[in-house]
Structure formats: C-alpha cells, structure tokens
C-alpha cells in the first residue's frame, strides 16, 4: 500500500516523516516516493532559521584538528602555509600521530598545539578548549558526525572530510544542530576545486555549453589493496562493504556536477533510482592474496561491485552516478556535463562546442585554458602546489580560511554537503527495494528557489 504523510510545521517533522517512509521501505512495502518529501516549503522557511550563519570577520582562524592520519596531515600542512590560520590543538587515537602533527606545527614557528590522544572520544575534550574557533576532522566516516555535533554543541564551527554523514538520521541531526547553535557546518569537497572541473564551471557560467541538461560522474577507483590493508583505511573502510550496498562514496564526482547544475541554487535533486551488480571483486581479491585459513577469506560482502544511480532534478536535469571500487579500474570521476550547445567530458579531458569545435570532433581542454581558465587557477601558487592532490586540497583550505577572515559566505554550504552525502543512504534504500524511486529531501526547505548561483 502507498503511504501519504501529512506535512508538519517544523524541521523535526520533516526528518521523522522521511525516516518513517524509509523504515517502511526497508521492510519491503510499496510506497509513493513523493511521500518522503519535506513539508511545504513556504511554511518551513518562515518557521525555521537558516543553517547558514552570518559570520563576523576573524583576524585569526584557530583550529583544532581531529584525525591526523594521511589526509588529516595533508590539511594540517596546508593550513600551516595559509595566512591567518593557526593549529592550536590536534587529536588522534594514535599518540605518535599527534606528536607528528605537533612537531609540524612547531617547526613552522607556531606554538606547539595541545595534544589529545586518550581514546576515541578524546575529541570531546578538544571541543571544550577555549581558544578554538573551528574543529576540522578527517577521521573514519562513522566518526564524522560525532565530531561535528560535539564541536557545534561546544560553540565551535565544524568541518569534515567527505562524506558529511552516512545515514539520513545523521543528516537531519547535523542540520538541526547547525540551526540550533548557529554554527558553521561544512563538508570539505576537494574535487570541486580541481582545475578541469573549475574550467568546466567557468565555461558553464559563460554559456558555452548552452542549457545544461545532463551530467555523468562517479568514483571509479580500484581500492581493493587499500581495503584489505592492515593500516590506514584498511582498518575501517572494508567494513562498510560488508554491511552496505549502494553508492558509498558519491560526493567527489557529484559535487562538481551539482555546482554546474546550480543544485540548491535555483534547482535541487528530486528523486533517484539505484541498482547494484553482484558482489564479486573483494572475495576474488581475498582468494588471490590470502591463504585459505586467513580470516579475510571468510568475509562476505553486501556491496555490489558496480552501483549505478540515476538522479533527476526538480527542473528536469538528469545525472548518471557510478561507483566501482572493487574491480581492476584506473581512476576516474567521469565528469561529463552535457548542454544544448556542447559538452565537457573528463577522463580523458576533452570538449566539444557546436559551431566552435570541428564538426563531430573532440578538442583538448588545454586549448581553452588561455581564454576560460578559472580565476582561482591563474595563481602560480596554486598551479605549482603539489601537497594534496595537486593543488585542489590547498585551494579548498585556502578559500575556507579566506572566507572566514573576510566574513563572507563560503563556497558551499551545509545544504550542499547534506544533499551530496545523502545520496549514499538513499541509494542503499533504492537498491534494497528493487530500484524503486526514492525521494531526495529538500534540506534547504525551499531556499533553493531563491538562493543565487555560485
């Protein structure tokens, strides 16, 4: 039977209604995907404060960093080279990693930051440190939301590596806490700052591709060795493949496409359908690399090797989103943007514009850099940066600190992080229910219709 939910006046009702529908769907019952939408936006916009705070300029941005493994250390190193940023505390469950980060800060001429390493919840003590303005985390995925909540509830602004959350309940918790506390809460998506993606965005803004109709994106990357490693992500990432089946890592590919499509800024995601192949790759890899009696040979995985998701926006644009991390696969984010006058296609990077490109032929993107290079990539400092994915990590950290010091809006908001991250649990819901359509909630509660383009 279909389930029609009555709209309620506040954010809590929106969250509970959506979770109620999700639970019914998980039991295998039929449902109208539209019934999972947020209540009428006009009422909610009036009743609920925006989750995007207006911040006064900061002379210094004092940061407590939680999780200083590989990616966390990259961000620490970036921040040490950005004017106005100061690392005043570091936290990790591994004491040696805390000391390494403290040494990096001290060697740059700053005061040695306070270290926290008394166990997995010691970030809660860090969040109480008085001289911290911002808590930034690069922990395993399941710890992102606990750190963000602790930071906001302690009066700090909060940032996380991707994804922002892994369940719908977590998404609503973050939004409601940001609204209640008035603190900044962001997901730091580095791929929206990569040079080809920013070239594409610049060309979209200048109308070279016409009206944008369709995008293709994904995260296609052989992670079998990383998932089975006895260190780093191997200690936790494989566990998600054991129990979850959907697109577990959507934001790297989806973020740049969403910006080109003005998602949450004139359009928004409406609904999705998703399906997965059989799970084969991780079991085959374990059989080839571990002896018969090894515990890793006994593991079974829910995650299908290849997940394919289709997303439709409120204004009729479509997106094909892929995920494949368990087969032999050279790295790709796909990154295709199709308009009525041409398209940008990544991996390999190439462009075709009707009336400008040779008929029926691709052109290399290098031809377009002199005329359409995004202004942020005209900086020699950015183009020569080698720490952290060739400059895009540094650029995302730089833009964040500059925005906070100037008191201006950041390049993306909590609504973006939630919309991009929520795709993951929603794909799990669709896959579990024979690829039925699943509504994507409007975290902005109608503000997408009046928010200007990036």
């Amino acid at each position: 039977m279909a389930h029609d939910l009555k709209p309620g006046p506040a954010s809590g009702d929106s969250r509970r209604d959506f979770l109620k529908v999700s639970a019914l769907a998980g039991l295998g019952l039929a449902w109208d995907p539209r019934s999972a939408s947020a209540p009428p936006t006009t009422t909610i916009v009036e009743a609920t404060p925006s989750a995007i705070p207006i911040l006064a300029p900061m002379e210094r941005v004092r940061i407590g960093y939680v999780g200083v493994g590989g990616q966390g250390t990259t961000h620490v190193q970036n921040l040490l080279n950005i004017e106005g940023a100061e690392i005043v505390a570091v936290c990790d469950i591994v004491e040696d990693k805390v000391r390494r980060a403290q040494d990096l800060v001290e060697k740059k001429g700053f005061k040695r930051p306070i270290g926290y390493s008394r166990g997995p919840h010691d970030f809660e003590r860090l969040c109480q440190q008085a001289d911290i303005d911002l808590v930034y985390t690069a922990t395993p995925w399941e710890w992102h939301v606990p750190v963000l909540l602790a930071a906001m509830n302690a009066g700090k602004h909060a940032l996380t590596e991707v994804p922002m959350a892994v369940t719908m309940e977590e998404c609503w918790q973050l939004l409601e806490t940001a609204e209640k506390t008035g603190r900044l809460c962001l997901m730091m998506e580095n791929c929206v700052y990569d040079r080809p993606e920013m070239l594409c965005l610049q060309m979209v803004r200048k109308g070279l591709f016409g009206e944008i109709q369709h995008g293709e994106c994904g995260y296609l990357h052989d992670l079998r060795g990383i998932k089975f490693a006895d260190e780093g992500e191997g200690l936790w990432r494989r566990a998600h493949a054991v129990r979850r089946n959907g697109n577990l890592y959507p934001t790297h590919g989806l973020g740049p496409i969403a910006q080109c499509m003005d998602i949450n800024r004139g359009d928004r995601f409406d609904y999705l359908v998703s399906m997965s192949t059989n799970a084969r790759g991780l079991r085959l890899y374990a059989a080839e690399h571990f002896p018969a009696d090894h515990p890793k040979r006994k593991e079974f995985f829910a995650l299908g090797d290849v997940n394919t998701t289709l997303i439709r926006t409120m204004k009729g644009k479509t997106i094909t989103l892929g995920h494949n991390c368990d087969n032999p696969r050279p790295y790709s984010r796909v990154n295709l943007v199709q308009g009525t006058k041409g398209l940008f296609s990544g991996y390999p990077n190439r462009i075709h514009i009707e009336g400008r490109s040779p008929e029926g032929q691709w052109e290399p993107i290098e031809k377009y850099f002199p005329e359409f290079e995004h202004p942020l990539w005209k900086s020699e400092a950015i183009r020569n940066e080698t720490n952290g994915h060739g400059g895009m990590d540094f650029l995302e950290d730089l833009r964040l600190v500059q925005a906070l010091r100037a008191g201006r809006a950041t390049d993306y908001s909590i609504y973006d992080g939630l919309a991009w991250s929520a795709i993951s649990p929603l794909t799990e819901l669709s896959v579990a229910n024979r690829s039925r359509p699943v509504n994507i909630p409007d975290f902005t509660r109608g503000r997408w219709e009046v928010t200007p383009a990036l």
Side-chain angles (χ1 to χ4, degrees):
M1 59 181 178
H3 298 271
D4 295 318
L5 301 182
K6 296 180 180 180
S11 62
D13 296 319
S14 174
R15 174 169 66 90
R16 285 189 291 272
D17 288 350
F18 187 89
L19 293 171
K20 178 181 178 183
V21 172
S22 300
L24 291 170
L27 293 173
L29 302 177
W31 85 101
D32 177 354
R34 294 169 298 175
S35 66
S37 61
T41 56
T42 51
T43 302
I44 292 179
V45 169
E46 294 172 358
T48 306
S50 172
I52 306 176
I54 300 173
L55 303 179
M58 300 181 185
E59 181 179 351
R60 293 181 302 151
V61 182
R62 301 170 299 178
I63 301 164
Y65 211 99
V66 181
V68 283
Q71 187 64 6
T73 299
T74 293
H75 286 299
V76 168
Q77 291 171 322
N78 288 342
L79 293 163
L80 291 174
N81 290 307
I82 296 174
E83 183 178 358
E86 183 178 345
I87 306 292
V88 297
V90 291
C91 176
D92 200 283
I93 60 173
V94 180
E95 190 173 355
D96 285 346
K97 293 181 180 179
V98 171
R99 281 197 295 267
R100 180 182 64 187
Q102 289 173 310
D103 291 343
L104 288 171
V105 175
E106 206 167 32
K107 287 177 182 177
K108 288 291 291 186
F110 294 97
K111 180 181 176 182
R112 191 172 183 84
I114 298 174
Y116 296 86
S117 57
R118 294 182 185 173
H121 288 273
D122 212 22
F123 63 84
E124 295 170 357
R125 282 200 308 133
L126 177 145
C127 290
Q128 298 300 320
Q129 187 173 318
D131 63 347
I132 292 177
D133 302 308
L134 173 74
V135 176
Y136 196 156
T137 183
T139 54
W141 300 342
E142 54 265 33
W143 288 100
H144 289 184
V145 169
V147 174
L148 295 174
L149 293 176
M152 287 189 285
N153 285 323
K156 320 298 186 186
H157 302 301
L159 306 181
T160 182
E161 260 289 346
V162 301
M164 198 167 200
V166 297
T167 69
M168 293 307 300
E169 173 69 22
E170 288 180 333
C171 288
W172 291 112
Q173 282 181 316
L174 290 176
L175 182 58
E176 291 167 4
T177 303
E179 290 171 341
K180 178 183 70 175
T181 62
R183 298 296 90 187
L184 188 72
C185 184
L186 298 176
M187 181 184 75
M188 301 294 284
E189 176 47 76
N190 59 354
C191 291
V192 302
Y193 292 103
D194 203 8
R195 191 182 181 197
E197 279 85 343
M198 297 201 80
L199 172 70
C200 180
L201 178 62
Q202 182 81 336
M203 296 177 74
V204 167
R205 288 287 174 262
K206 292 184 178 295
L208 270 77
F209 304 126
E211 180 187 355
I212 302 305
Q213 295 279 70
H214 176 70
E216 297 178 11
C217 54
Y219 189 71
L220 315 175
H221 188 193
D222 186 354
L223 295 180
R224 294 171 298 170
I226 290 175
K227 288 185 177 184
F228 280 104
D230 291 324
E231 60 183 6
E233 294 183 15
L235 300 176
W236 56 268
R237 191 162 183 164
R238 191 172 74 258
H240 287 269
V242 170
R243 65 180 186 272
R244 301 172 60 196
N245 188 12
N247 188 317
L248 304 192
Y249 207 60
T251 72
H252 281 338
L254 189 59
I257 302 295
Q259 289 192 339
C260 287
M261 290 185 171
D262 292 329
I263 299 302
N264 293 333
R265 295 170 175 81
D267 200 356
R268 73 169 180 88
F269 299 142
D270 185 6
Y271 65 93
L272 64 77
V273 295
S274 185
M275 65 178 63
S276 296
T277 67
N278 294 320
R280 297 287 188 266
L282 293 178
R283 289 276 291 172
L284 289 171
Y285 184 90
E288 293 170 358
H289 290 82
F290 300 100
D293 59 347
H294 196 284
K296 292 177 181 177
R297 287 281 297 272
K298 298 177 175 60
E299 294 176 345
F300 289 88
F301 301 94
L303 180 64
D305 289 2
V306 181
N307 175 269
T308 303
T309 298
L310 296 175
I311 301 172
R312 185 175 171 89
T313 76
M314 293 293 289
K315 293 193 172 181
K317 303 181 187 75
T318 57
I319 302 171
T320 304
L321 174 67
H323 180 269
N324 180 357
C325 296
D326 299 338
N327 298 134
R329 183 84 205 212
Y331 183 88
S332 173
R333 295 194 298 274
V334 186
N335 191 35
L336 183 146
V337 176
Q338 174 73 66
T340 55
K341 294 182 179 180
L343 75 162
F344 184 106
S345 180
Y347 299 87
N349 292 316
R350 50 197 176 159
I351 289 172
H352 177 81
I353 300 172
E354 190 173 52
R356 181 163 180 154
S357 303
E359 186 174 353
Q361 295 182 32
W362 293 103
E363 296 183 284
I365 67 169
E366 287 74 19
K367 178 179 177 179
Y368 288 86
F369 279 127
E371 187 176 355
F372 298 107
E373 179 84 86
H374 194 285
L376 293 177
W377 273 94
K378 291 180 180 179
S379 164
E380 289 296 324
I382 300 299
R383 287 166 63 171
N384 294 330
E385 177 64 46
T386 58
N387 184 48
H389 301 98
M392 60 183 179
D393 288 9
F394 181 81
L395 185 52
E396 74 168 338
D397 291 330
L398 176 66
R399 289 288 293 172
L400 183 279
V401 173
Q402 288 178 336
L404 294 178
R405 296 189 74 206
R408 68 167 184 259
T410 53
D411 293 337
Y412 33 59
S413 71
I414 185 173
Y415 304 130
D416 299 317
L418 292 175
W420 305 346
S421 298
I423 297 302
S424 187
L426 297 179
T427 63
E428 294 180 66
L429 183 59
S430 181
V431 169
N433 287 275
R434 295 179 58 83
S435 304
R436 292 180 182 178
V438 176
N439 211 54
I440 302 170
D442 176 16
F443 294 107
T444 77
R445 301 187 181 89
R447 294 184 184 88
W448 64 273
E449 296 183 273
V450 296
T451 301
L454 182 68

